[in-house]
Amino acid sequence: SFFDHIEVAGPGFINMFLSSETLKNELTYIDQQKSNYGKNNSGNSKKALIEFVSANPTGPLTVGHGRGAIIGDTISNILEYNGYSIDREYYFNNAGKQMKLLAQSVYSRYLEILGKDAKIPEGGYEGEYIKDIAQKVIDNEKDKYINEIDDNKFKSIAEEEIFDDIKSTLELMGISFDSFFNEHTLYEDKSIYKIIKLLRDKELVYEKDGATWFKLTKLGKDTDRVLIKSSGEPTYRLPDIAYHVTKFERDYDLIVDVFGADHMDAYPDVISALKELGYDTKKIEVIIHQFVTIMKDGKPAKMSTRKANFVTLNQLADDIGIDVLRYFFLMRGTNTHLQFDINLALSQTDDNPVFYIQYAFARICNMLARYESIQNGKAIEPKLHLLSNDAERELIIKMISFPDLIRSISKILEPQILANYVHDISSSFHKYYAKHKIITNDADLTLARITLSRSVGNLIKICLGLLGISAPERM
């Protein structure tokens, strides 16, 4: 009775058509579940650590950081919906050469504002935000440092100002973290040197040209990699290996790393080291998101944290709004280069997918409000077998697929599937609404179609919530 009929559809394929009774039962269940539809415990309360953003406090978040932030936040939402216990973590480094350059850059602007000749150091930071920080130093300290820089003071002020800005931007996007992990602690507790010793004991470390090397060729890789430079400064790989050891020591069942494309070369080496150290690297899922190109009037806008011509996430959010920002970052596969079309993002037409989806939800809300105002308030069992046309069957079948879809996304961690799904079901509803009158003179048919519409609206709201996008009831 589950199927109406079954057909052989060419070599290797069978088409199975759900019966009207099955569709009626499924829609009844969907309508009853409301905002919990598709929520499940397939994650079995397993602990998952999602690391994302992880930008050092050297400048405002750029659109590149934003893509990783929104991908990581959405994956966290989806895993929670599937019954995982989630910790969101931000990893950063406030020490080293770049932070020293930051302090010197601020000092240069400090001297410049005070009327002295000064130049940004080579490789330093030139954005307008550096001048703003320098002005705050002057407001608080006057010309106290005009003859000599206090490196720690300038670094501390710059770091605090920039981190406050980063946290403010993340809050604006609806993103919060459970923990912030400072790379510098791995130096303080000697974790990085413990890693060197453990790898040396396995004969995977050697010295050459004053540097310490990771013998990856012994593990079948093409080339060995430097872990500590001849200057004594560790490369990215070493503290990252030590950091991931802490993730395993904190007993997580799933470890998700959301990295930019600049990590593509390094993360396999980190995983190789962890495997050799005896950790179950099958617990690690690495998501690499490709670069973002901001397009406006058909031309790309350049981005650089050090130069003054980069596009900040705040600027983009101010221009187009948080909802559009989030959806546009999610609507393409993470491993696909994203061309972010500002003109499309600003449009209030059906071509803008966010407007299109939200309008479907607002349209349903408006229709439900009209129905409530005209019906007599008596509880009536909807006659769902009246939903028999192809458009109605299509909507119900798409809704039936949602629980399986949301489970599968928790396994493959590709949030663009959800973004495309909610656009698809919104499109189906718009077409249905255009062709079929929902509120009619037939009370039974009206109630059946209202039940279907309400279920579609609830599901759109669920999807938008998981994507971190608002569901306005009026537009």
Side-chain angles (χ1 to χ4, degrees):
S1 63
F2 193 82
F3 298 110
D4 179 69
H5 63 284
I6 297 173
E7 295 176 355
V8 175
F13 293 93
I14 299 173
N15 287 340
M16 296 173 282
F17 296 81
L18 299 180
S19 69
S20 59
E21 185 68 15
T22 297
L23 295 178
K24 185 192 84 167
N25 291 340
E26 291 291 330
L27 180 56
T28 300
Y29 174 75
I30 293 167
D31 189 46
Q32 290 170 345
Q33 287 292 294
K34 297 183 172 62
S35 62
N36 289 318
Y37 182 56
K39 187 177 286 188
N40 66 86
N41 194 34
S42 60
N44 200 26
S45 299
K46 289 179 181 176
K47 288 175 60 184
L49 181 69
I50 321 297
E51 182 213 334
F52 57 106
V53 185
S54 297
N56 291 338
T58 56
L61 294 181
T62 66
V63 293
H65 299 128
R67 191 177 193 192
I70 292 165
I71 289 168
D73 187 51
T74 304
I75 285 172
S76 300
N77 294 341
I78 291 168
L79 287 172
E80 280 180 327
Y81 207 74
N82 282 277
Y84 283 85
S85 174
I86 300 295
D87 284 333
R88 295 163 168 84
E89 187 157 272
Y90 186 124
Y91 173 77
F92 71 99
N93 181 18
N94 65 349
K97 181 181 176 183
Q98 297 309 321
M99 294 302 292
K100 187 173 182 180
L101 276 172
L102 175 67
Q104 291 171 347
S105 300
V106 173
Y107 185 63
S108 296
R109 293 304 189 200
Y110 170 85
L111 293 177
E112 190 179 81
I113 295 170
L114 290 173
K116 296 287 186 180
D117 262 347
K119 287 185 178 179
I120 296 288
E122 186 178 347
Y125 297 85
E126 300 179 26
E128 281 296 315
Y129 68 99
I130 298 295
K131 291 181 183 177
D132 295 338
I133 297 169
Q135 185 60 57
K136 287 190 177 180
V137 178
I138 293 169
D139 293 343
N140 294 326
E141 306 286 351
K142 310 300 183 214
D143 62 354
K144 180 178 178 181
Y145 304 104
I146 197 164
N147 294 317
E148 186 177 2
I149 184 175
D150 180 335
D151 279 325
N152 288 332
K153 181 74 173 179
F154 275 78
K155 182 181 87 68
S156 175
I157 291 172
E159 177 191 344
E160 184 178 347
E161 289 293 325
I162 290 170
F163 232 129
D164 282 348
D165 181 72
I166 287 173
K167 289 176 181 177
S168 175
T169 300
L170 292 170
E171 186 179 340
L172 182 69
M173 293 192 299
I175 297 173
S176 60
F177 285 88
D178 299 292
S179 54
F180 289 82
F181 192 106
N182 190 340
E183 179 185 323
H184 196 54
T185 62
L186 301 169
Y187 295 75
E188 291 173 340
D189 66 8
K190 312 297 183 187
S191 290
I192 59 169
Y193 305 108
K194 292 174 189 173
I195 296 297
I196 292 292
K197 182 181 183 308
L198 290 169
L199 290 174
R200 197 185 299 280
D201 290 345
K202 293 180 177 291
E203 299 183 346
L204 289 171
V205 162
Y206 65 93
E207 313 298 324
K208 178 184 172 185
D209 300 328
T212 303
W213 293 72
F214 183 14
K215 199 171 184 179
L216 283 161
T217 49
K218 186 177 178 181
L219 304 178
K221 300 294 180 74
D222 293 336
T223 183
D224 296 339
R225 299 288 188 179
V226 174
L227 291 178
I228 302 177
K229 300 175 188 177
S230 56
S231 63
E233 180 188 1
T235 63
Y236 160 81
R237 289 168 175 81
L238 181 54
D240 210 50
I241 295 165
Y243 171 47
H244 277 75
V245 167
T246 75
K247 295 183 180 185
F248 282 102
E249 288 176 345
R250 285 180 277 167
D251 200 27
Y252 285 102
D253 301 295
L254 174 65
I255 296 166
V256 180
D257 295 333
V258 182
F259 292 149
D262 53 337
H263 286 65
M264 179 76 79
D265 189 46
Y267 87 80
D269 301 341
V270 172
I271 290 177
S272 294
L274 293 165
K275 190 173 183 179
E276 291 303 310
L277 294 174
Y279 295 102
D280 182 6
T281 54
K282 291 177 183 176
K283 291 183 176 181
I284 300 177
E285 294 285 348
V286 178
I287 296 165
I288 297 290
H289 60 89
Q290 292 297 326
F291 296 105
V292 179
T293 302
I294 300 295
M295 304 293 292
K296 189 170 185 180
D297 301 326
K299 297 177 182 178
K302 293 180 181 179
M303 291 175 290
S304 163
T305 312
R306 297 183 193 178
K307 299 294 181 181
N309 63 352
F310 65 90
V311 179
T312 70
L313 204 52
N314 268 4
Q315 286 174 304
L316 193 57
D318 286 344
D319 286 345
I320 65 172
I322 302 301
D323 288 341
V324 177
L325 182 75
R326 288 189 67 110
Y327 188 89
F328 272 53
F329 276 137
L330 293 167
M331 67 182 181
R332 298 283 180 265
T334 54
N335 206 29
T336 303
H337 184 105
L338 179 65
Q339 288 201 335
F340 199 115
D341 188 337
I342 292 288
N343 300 87
L344 178 60
L346 288 170
S347 70
Q348 295 288 306
T349 69
D350 289 351
D351 292 332
N352 183 331
V354 186
F355 177 85
Y356 192 61
I357 295 163
Q358 290 179 325
Y359 185 51
F361 178 73
R363 170 173 269 173
I364 291 168
C365 290
N366 179 57
M367 188 169 52
L368 293 176
R370 281 195 291 122
Y371 178 73
E372 288 294 323
S373 70
I374 62 173
Q375 60 107 9
N376 58 21
K378 291 182 180 177
I380 308 169
E381 187 72 25
K383 297 177 181 177
L384 299 180
H385 66 275
L386 296 173
L387 301 172
S388 58
N389 66 54
D390 289 344
E392 289 161 344
R393 289 179 60 88
E394 179 186 334
L395 278 168
I396 297 170
I397 289 169
K398 282 181 178 175
M399 286 193 288
I400 290 171
S401 73
F402 178 70
D404 285 336
L405 181 90
I406 205 68
R407 280 188 179 90
S408 70
I409 297 173
S410 74
K411 301 293 186 292
I412 60 178
L413 304 178
E414 294 185 10
Q416 81 278 1
I417 294 173
L418 182 62
N420 293 331
Y421 171 81
V422 69
H423 185 269
D424 184 37
I425 201 165
S426 298
S427 176
S428 293
F429 183 80
H430 280 304
K431 291 171 184 174
Y432 171 60
Y433 182 89
K435 192 173 179 181
H436 301 280
K437 194 172 182 181
I438 309 297
I439 300 175
T440 72
N441 293 327
D442 183 333
D444 289 336
L445 181 61
T446 296
L447 181 55
R449 288 181 172 175
I450 283 291
T451 303
L452 173 62
S453 300
R454 181 172 59 232
S455 297
V456 172
N458 283 336
L459 184 48
I460 290 173
K461 189 174 183 179
I462 290 168
C463 294
L464 289 175
L466 291 171
L467 297 172
I469 296 169
S470 70
E473 295 185 5
R474 296 175 66 88
M475 289 182 69

